[in-house]
Amino acid sequence: MSHVSPASRPTIACAAGGTGGHLFPAEALARELQRRGHGVVIYTERRGAAYTQALSGLDHVVLPARSLEGGLSGKLAAGLTILRATAQARADMRRRDVRLLVGFGGYPSFAPALAAKSRGLPLLLHEQGARLSMANRKLLRFADGVATSFPGTAGLHGFDAARIVDTGNPVRQAILDARGDYPALASNAPLRVLIVGGSQSARVFGEFVPPALLQLPESIRHRLQVSLQMKGEGVASVETALQAGGIDATVRPFFDDMGARLRDAHLVITRAGATTAADLLTVGRPAILVPIPQGGSRDEQRRNAETLAAAGVGWCLPEPELTPAHLSALLADAFSSPTVLPDAARAAAALGRPQAASTLADLVQSTLARHA
């Protein structure tokens, strides 16, 4: 836990799950509120606390957290964990004189939201996906307002439409700095492809994408400049195989210049998480979106991918259809056309919401004023 920061305006709390998809939008809002003179604190769990760069200079509190999934014993243990985290969050809110909480989803956001409501504080929920997440659905009855990232977000039926604001999904400063014109697609000029999907995609993307690239015609392969984020075994062998096929390839476990690589990319192959979608739209880059198979009510990535594909931003390619032959054919068609990728880039940029953090901060301040 870090120190309490003095500020001239009321202190605002953000609660976020331990993934970057939850934490990065919370960070973006917190920094915007800081610029406006508010004290801020982020409540998260141990996984979220590992994003040290995102939390640098921001007060944050690590709370115990446990998913409600599992049998009866698991649910009982989760319930006790939530009670303990709620008590800790409530005490911290009292000490900081927190005046409002913004929940960004993920089960670790549940306890801080309960703590805020037990203290009579207004609660705003921010939904990053095209459908309300499980945590936000559970908290909806307590919410004073909901901010959405997609128009027509599913799962809000019955909630007062006047209290729903389409703010967009706040993105990190590095992504905002990467905004710019789509790179020119001149004949014989490089074709830059960024392939990134996080730890859950290392095996899948490493297995299917390189063979698809190697199946492309030689005239395309020799123009490719590929950045592939891949973890685990085989990184060196994949890079060697691509280079042997005439492809200028860089394969790394992590890129610390993601904003620059996204800015320079003609096409991105990636998962379909909400933060990934916001990054693509903010910078205005077309994408082949491969949603993580989830199924049932938790099929958030598929919904995100289908929403963006329907808007012309790119292609939704379900994982069962991610074969080298299918992907290679899709890539060949896209690279052979002078208009397909630029048109998709324009569609992405048209949906981008670079002012999302500012718009959400405006909503925070207006909600504060109503509850003053």
Side-chain angles (χ1 to χ4, degrees):
M1 183 186 302
S2 56
H3 66 284
V4 179
S5 298
S8 58
R9 289 185 168 183
T11 296
I12 309 299
C14 300
T19 68
H22 294 124
L23 192 69
F24 292 154
E27 176 211 352
L29 174 64
R31 295 196 188 282
E32 175 63 24
L33 289 170
Q34 264 192 343
R35 284 191 286 271
R36 299 185 183 198
H38 287 277
V40 294
V41 59
I42 295 179
Y43 297 109
T44 186
E45 46 120 359
R46 58 175 182 79
R47 292 179 304 154
Y51 291 95
T52 54
Q53 186 175 358
L55 293 170
S56 176
L58 295 171
D59 286 1
H60 60 281
V61 177
V62 180
L63 296 173
R66 178 167 175 159
S67 170
L68 285 168
E69 293 179 351
L72 179 59
S73 61
K75 285 181 168 55
L76 287 173
L80 292 173
T81 300
I82 290 172
L83 287 175
R84 192 164 80 253
T86 300
Q88 291 181 24
R90 180 181 166 88
D92 189 76
M93 290 177 188
R94 181 170 58 247
R95 183 174 69 91
R96 296 174 188 272
D97 193 22
V98 168
R99 302 294 183 85
L100 179 147
L101 183 127
V102 186
F104 285 86
Y107 60 84
S109 70
F110 202 78
L114 295 180
K117 295 312 295 183
S118 74
R119 288 185 51 77
L121 304 180
L123 170 67
L124 288 177
L125 300 178
H126 181 273
E127 180 52 56
Q128 296 94 57
R131 179 183 179 84
L132 216 60
S133 67
M134 184 181 298
N136 281 346
R137 288 201 305 273
K138 298 285 188 184
L139 292 169
L140 189 61
R141 74 181 90 170
F142 305 115
D144 296 276
V146 177
T148 61
S149 302
F150 291 92
T153 297
L156 285 166
H157 179 72
F159 192 79
D160 182 4
R163 294 188 287 147
I164 302 171
V165 180
D166 180 22
T167 62
N169 192 6
V171 299
R172 296 161 287 165
Q173 189 61 45
I175 300 301
L176 292 173
D177 292 343
R179 297 174 66 218
D181 293 337
Y182 183 69
L185 268 178
S187 60
N188 297 322
L191 293 166
R192 289 183 290 274
V193 182
L194 174 62
I195 306 155
V196 56
S199 58
Q200 297 186 67
S201 307
R203 182 191 62 79
V204 172
F205 281 20
E207 180 178 349
F208 293 107
V209 177
L213 297 174
L214 291 170
Q215 288 181 24
L216 289 167
E218 182 180 3
S219 59
I220 294 178
R221 289 202 315 273
H222 286 181
R223 295 174 59 195
L224 288 178
Q225 291 181 354
V226 173
S227 299
L228 169 59
Q229 182 174 291
M230 176 183 167
K231 300 180 181 180
E233 298 179 1
V235 169
S237 61
V238 167
E239 185 175 80
T240 299
L242 290 171
Q243 292 174 350
I247 296 173
D248 180 356
T250 303
V251 184
R252 298 286 183 273
F254 182 77
F255 292 119
D256 56 9
D257 57 347
M258 189 60 69
R261 291 182 186 269
L262 183 58
R263 178 196 63 215
D264 294 340
H266 292 101
L267 176 67
V268 183
I269 303 175
T270 186
R271 290 302 196 181
T275 293
T276 297
D279 291 351
L280 289 168
L281 300 181
T282 299
V283 181
R285 295 296 178 265
I288 296 174
L289 298 158
V290 185
I292 293 176
Q294 292 173 302
S297 62
R298 298 189 63 190
D299 215 2
E300 296 98 347
Q301 289 212 4
R302 179 184 60 80
R303 294 176 184 275
N304 294 343
E306 290 177 347
T307 298
L308 294 184
V313 171
W315 301 263
C316 173
L317 186 59
E319 194 169 297
E321 300 175 24
L322 181 63
T323 64
H326 189 173
L327 179 57
S328 187
L330 193 161
L331 290 170
D333 288 344
F335 290 143
S336 300
S337 168
T339 59
V340 167
L341 292 176
D343 286 350
R346 279 190 289 273
L351 293 175
R353 306 290 291 276
Q355 300 300 318
S358 178
T359 305
L360 183 54
D362 289 343
L363 178 60
V364 167
Q365 291 182 323
S366 65
T367 304
L368 268 177
R370 285 199 308 272
H371 288 81

